[in-house]
DNA sequence: GACTGTGAACATATTCACAGCG
DNA sequence: CGCTGTGAATATGTTCACAGTC
């Protein structure tokens, strides 16, 4: 059963979602040569309350020193390790249209712990071209590519019509985490992690609040 | 005080975040000529539980008929109205690099209720070029552009170094909702709505779960 | 004295299960 | 009878406030 490691408390999802922000703040401090920080300072940089930051970090274990604070380098390593950022994780990007193109460059440029392992597209006019320093490969070989690179993460930026089918093939090839930019509900098995980013959805949420503000005034 | 409209219950944020998904599902049904639906069917399309869907819709008022279901067109109108999707809302996009370019095309193509009112960039090589059918305008005129278009929403896709400064100028010009793709914590006044989409953060969250899976096995 | 780590209070969100209504 | 709308139960998340430790 799952009674293997009774010592580790589970890190709640809401905390996991904030760890990347903390990691970035720690990277900044480290880059400035700051050796030690406090929950107040870090929280300020991360845009959260100091109590929340301390609570979040406490799920990773006790890495601070009471009355003193946190060692920047040590904490940086702990958070990075918790996020599985050891070495560069291979990511496959599927769908090299306008958006896929931009995302590929983004991942290549941002020196964060990911490596664009391959770019894949179904359009024969795109296959064979070089984007962000990689040659775009044929969608027909998707499974092959995923396995060749040992990729467990994929970014999906295809047209909506083919997204579910591509998604299924990614899962079949062994991908366990998918980040989709396609505005469509996708089905994945329970053991696969799906996160969705949707521009239209985000704008509509903003529109809701904009309207609330309008109503509150005259 | 805020005791003006005692009849309307507040729609919780978690519900607001799902309304766009429901709206898209309703649009699909309407496009297929389906006139009536049920919480079960809609929930299936939206990828949520039927109880959650009913609870969410109940915050907008009672728009279903017991024993029968929901009228697709009526519900569509209600949800759209709640989101403030009346007519096309003007959106200004700032930072027309690779990503801004892709986002501009996305908003223009996706027939969802937004209109790209203007594109703005600081790079003289980009200003004056045509992207997604619009001529890119000079960042120096940002405030002017926002007011000319009456835009209350903006998308931010600038380099990280200038993001806070651009953000401040957007707010000063009257923008009340900002969607940022810049990997940096931004400060805005309490009456401005800020939503952040960050590729690196999303990938790191996926990496966390990928690692958990690895640990659970041998 | 300063700052962490956390129990306890509070707030928000989800799910269940069924009463109410057409 | 079927399906909505919702009270009650549960689960998750945030904040407060302070005991514990250096």
């Amino acid at each position: 059963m799952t009674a293997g490691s009774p010592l580790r408390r589970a890190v709640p999802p809401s905390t996991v979602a904030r760890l990347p922000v903390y990691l970035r703040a720690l990277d900044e401090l480290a880059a400035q040569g700051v050796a030690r920080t406090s929950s107040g300072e870090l929280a300020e940089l991360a845009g959260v309350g100091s109590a929340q930051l301390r609570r979040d970090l406490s799920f990773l274990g006790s890495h601070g020193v009471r009355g003193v604070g946190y060692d920047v380098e040590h904490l940086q390593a702990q958070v990075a390790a918790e996020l599985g950022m050891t070495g560069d994780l291979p990511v496959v990007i599927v769908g090299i249209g306008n958006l896929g193109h931009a995302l590929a460059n983004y991942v290549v440029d941002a020196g964060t712990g990911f490596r664009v392992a391959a770019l894949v597209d179904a359009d024969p006019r795109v296959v064979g071209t070089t984007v962000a320093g990689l040659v775009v490969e044929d969608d027909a070989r998707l499974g092959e590519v995923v396995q060749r690179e040992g990729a467990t993460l994929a970014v999906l930026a295809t047209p909506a019509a083919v997204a579910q089918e591509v998604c299924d093939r990614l899962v079949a090839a062994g991908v366990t985490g998918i980040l989709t930019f396609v505005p469509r509900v996708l089905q994945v098995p329970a053991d696969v992690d799906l996160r969705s980013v949707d521009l239209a959805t985000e704008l509509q949420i903003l529109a809701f609040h904009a309207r609330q503000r309008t109503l509150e005034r005259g």
Side-chain angles (χ1 to χ4, degrees), chain A residues 166-211:
Chain A
V166 171
C167 181
D168 292 344
R169 285 192 290 137
L170 284 169
V171 171
V175 165
T176 60
I178 298 175
L179 175 57
T180 175
F181 289 82
V182 183
R184 188 172 214 80
V185 175
L186 297 176
Q187 303 295 331
V188 289
D191 64 339
V192 172
D193 211 43
L194 180 72
R195 294 186 64 86
S196 181
V197 168
D198 181 353
L199 180 60
T201 297
E202 296 296 326
L203 285 177
Q204 284 173 346
I205 294 170
L206 288 177
F208 172 88
H209 293 291
R211 175 158 172 281

Side-chain angles (χ1 to χ4, degrees), chain A residues 9-100:
Chain A
R9 353 187 216 333
V11 183
S14 55
T15 293
V16 173
R18 282 184 295 266
L19 291 181
V21 182
Y22 301 158
L23 185 54
R24 184 142 50 218
L26 286 164
D27 288 348
E28 273 174 40
L29 288 174
Q32 288 168 25
V34 177
R36 188 190 289 162
T37 187
S38 66
S39 62
E41 183 179 46
L42 248 187
E44 171 85 22
L45 285 171
V48 302
S50 67
Q52 179 151 87
L53 183 127
R54 289 200 303 278
R55 169 80 67 197
D56 284 339
L57 293 184
S58 78
F59 289 114
L60 315 195
S62 193
H63 297 292
V65 181
R66 292 175 197 240
V68 178
Y70 302 91
D71 179 86
V72 171
E73 223 173 291
H74 173 78
L75 192 55
Q76 200 182 9
Q78 291 300 320
V79 176
E82 191 69 35
L83 287 171
M85 305 275 80
T86 49
D88 279 1
L89 282 173
V91 176
V92 170
I93 303 181
V94 190
I96 313 301
N98 237 315
L99 185 60

